[in-house]
Amino acid sequence: MTGRALHLNRFEGKFEKGAMPQPNPKTGRREDFIWSDEAEPHMHRRKQLMAKYGKEINKLMKPEPLTKYYCVAFLSIVLGLSVATLEWSWPAYLAGLYVSSIFTHSLFLAVHEVTHHSAFRSQFANDLLSMLVNCGIGVPYSMMFKLYHGEHHKYQGWDGIDTDIPSDLELRLLQSFPGKLFFASCQIPFYAFRPCLVRAQKLSWKHALNWAFVLTFDYIWFSLWGWKAIAFLIASTFLAGSWNPVAGHFISEHYVFDSKGKQETYSYYGPWNAISFNVGYHNEHHDFPSVPWTALPKLRALAPEFYENLETTDSWFMASVRFLFDDNVGVWARVKREKGAGQRTGRLMPTTSDSKSVDFKKISDEGGCLPEL
């Protein structure tokens, strides 16, 4: 089930269901996101899936032993390249940096996967693995990401809560071709700074441990190999969210490419999933975040009637290209709901009409939407 898009066409003074926000006739710019008056679609689908396949799905929710080995392998590739390229010529160095950016992207997705406690039964063991992988990125972020990402799952599209969605400032400044190019080229800085500005976290001892862990590693790596090795890691981190074959997943997952504005999560079933912890199975992942990456294809095969009719992404890279050149897609092409939720106090509960009758916490917990820090 997909939520209805509900957008106020402020230039005609009426609501239009299932419509994209229309450009201001004076400026040519869209001045709002796509607003929905229904709960996010994964809650509904999760409830239906559990009713039909609950026993089988519960069996899929268990740690995947392979995860830690893939994490170490990708980390070893990135760190190895940061040292191996020290004496390379500039053309070879830049080629090595580009290859490294692809595997640094794998490190980001390793942190994402482990955030859902999919490597070990112990929460703290997952956190330590996440911090270890974070060392290849050079900048401590894994514990910050854990909380923000949990909220992205449980409160998808909630205004002021889901920091995966561009801010109002980004909406105003980044609608032109140069603005979209800047956005698509610099996704890591946007994902790093936007959450801190939109929804600041209360810091904990795990945040401190994450910073101490990664910065200690940075010091050791600098002492062993010098500033060029550290600069390589930082440059590779930046390029991981820029123009490489896999970085388009940041755009393809939730930006609305459906002209009717009805679908807000898109899956990709192509070969890059092999080094991306199957993050392309994104509808499946959002339906059940506690199902590990190796079991997401099994989830889709178990319930094809829920997934085969959904629109998909054929290419992550071409999703970025389309975002750049298609005037019908932009930073505004994200579905939002629960206006003003970021200013609410107390327990966050949905107000949409179709979610009042369901047990919001129970359905969210069934999928493992909000892992605690």
Side-chain angles (χ1 to χ4, degrees):
M1 176 179 181
T2 54
R4 293 172 296 169
L6 178 65
H7 180 75
L8 174 61
N9 184 341
R10 66 186 69 191
F11 311 115
E12 297 181 9
K14 63 182 181 180
F15 281 100
E16 296 181 346
K17 294 185 178 181
M20 291 287 199
Q22 297 302 306
N24 184 320
K26 294 182 179 179
T27 65
R29 294 176 179 270
R30 291 171 172 86
E31 298 182 352
D32 209 345
F33 296 93
I34 305 165
W35 286 90
S36 173
D37 63 346
E38 293 189 352
E40 57 93 0
H42 304 287
M43 172 170 288
H44 291 290
R45 192 158 56 234
R46 186 179 305 124
K47 184 179 181 181
Q48 294 168 346
L49 281 161
M50 288 302 291
K52 189 171 183 179
Y53 299 111
K55 185 177 180 180
E56 294 90 339
I57 292 172
N58 282 328
K59 291 180 179 178
L60 299 177
M61 297 183 189
K62 57 184 179 181
E64 172 51 71
L66 287 174
T67 301
K68 56 184 176 291
Y69 300 116
Y70 273 72
C71 288
V72 172
F74 294 142
L75 178 62
S76 299
I77 291 172
V78 172
L79 295 181
L81 283 170
S82 75
V83 175
T85 55
L86 290 175
E87 303 300 327
W88 289 6
S89 65
W90 273 109
Y93 177 88
L94 293 175
L97 182 61
Y98 191 76
V99 171
S100 177
S101 73
I102 295 173
F103 287 100
T104 300
H105 182 272
S106 300
L107 295 184
F108 278 106
L109 295 177
V111 171
H112 166 266
E113 180 65 22
V114 177
T115 284
H116 293 289
H117 301 163
S118 64
F120 305 101
R121 295 194 181 278
S122 163
Q123 175 180 321
F124 188 55
N126 284 291
D127 291 340
L128 288 178
L129 178 59
S130 180
M131 294 180 205
L132 176 65
V133 171
N134 193 172
C135 290
I137 293 167
V139 179
Y141 90 104
S142 61
M143 291 299 100
M144 282 279 198
F145 173 79
K146 183 175 183 178
L147 287 184
Y148 286 129
H149 187 67
E151 290 184 333
H152 164 61
H153 273 278
K154 188 166 186 176
Y155 308 109
Q156 181 174 313
W158 283 37
D159 183 33
I161 304 293
D162 183 0
T163 57
D164 189 72
I165 295 176
S167 65
D168 289 340
L169 181 62
E170 292 167 76
L171 174 71
R172 291 195 298 270
L173 297 181
L174 301 175
Q175 291 198 35
S176 65
F177 181 87
K180 292 203 290 185
L181 178 61
F182 179 66
F183 181 83
S185 302
C186 306
Q187 292 181 77
I188 297 302
F190 279 106
Y191 273 94
F193 294 113
R194 179 197 305 137
C196 302
L197 298 174
V198 173
R199 184 168 170 80
Q201 287 185 15
K202 182 179 180 180
L203 301 182
S204 72
W205 66 271
K206 284 192 178 179
H207 291 93
L209 179 61
N210 184 194
W211 278 81
F213 200 106
V214 175
L215 292 180
T216 298
F217 171 83
D218 287 345
Y219 176 77
I220 294 172
W221 209 244
F222 170 79
S223 299
L224 290 173
W225 305 109
W227 67 269
K228 288 185 178 180
I230 295 296
F232 182 95
L233 295 180
I234 301 301
S236 182
T237 291
F238 175 82
L239 292 174
S242 191
W243 292 95
N244 67 53
V246 288
H249 95 83
F250 290 111
I251 288 174
S252 76
E253 290 170 352
H254 295 294
Y255 283 82
V256 177
F257 289 88
D258 165 22
S259 61
K260 296 181 179 180
K262 292 183 177 180
Q263 186 172 321
E264 55 186 275
T265 303
Y266 295 79
S267 289
Y268 158 82
Y269 301 116
W272 290 109
N273 278 310
I275 61 167
S276 302
F277 294 91
N278 280 336
V279 75
Y281 287 75
H282 216 64
N283 271 295
E284 296 84 349
H285 171 63
H286 266 266
D287 289 347
F288 292 98
S290 288
V291 171
W293 60 286
T294 52
L296 292 175
K298 298 176 184 177
L299 174 61
R300 183 172 187 266
L302 174 68
E305 69 274 23
F306 286 92
Y307 298 110
E308 288 184 346
N309 292 327
L310 297 177
E311 292 193 29
T312 60
T313 299
D314 294 327
S315 166
W316 279 337
F317 184 80
M318 291 309 297
S320 294
V321 172
R322 181 178 172 186
F323 174 86
L324 182 61
F325 289 100
D326 190 343
D327 290 337
N328 294 313
V329 184
V331 293
W332 49 267
R334 291 292 299 265
V335 176
K336 296 186 76 170
R337 52 179 52 84
E338 300 287 346
K339 195 170 185 65
Q343 283 71 53
R344 297 177 194 171
T345 58
R347 185 180 179 187
L348 289 170
M349 293 296 290
T351 61
T352 49
S353 59
D354 64 324
S355 59
K356 291 180 179 179
S357 61
V358 302
D359 186 338
F360 177 70
K361 184 177 186 304
K362 177 178 182 295
I363 295 175
S364 296
D365 288 348
E366 281 180 337
C369 287
L370 193 61
E372 296 180 358
L373 187 61

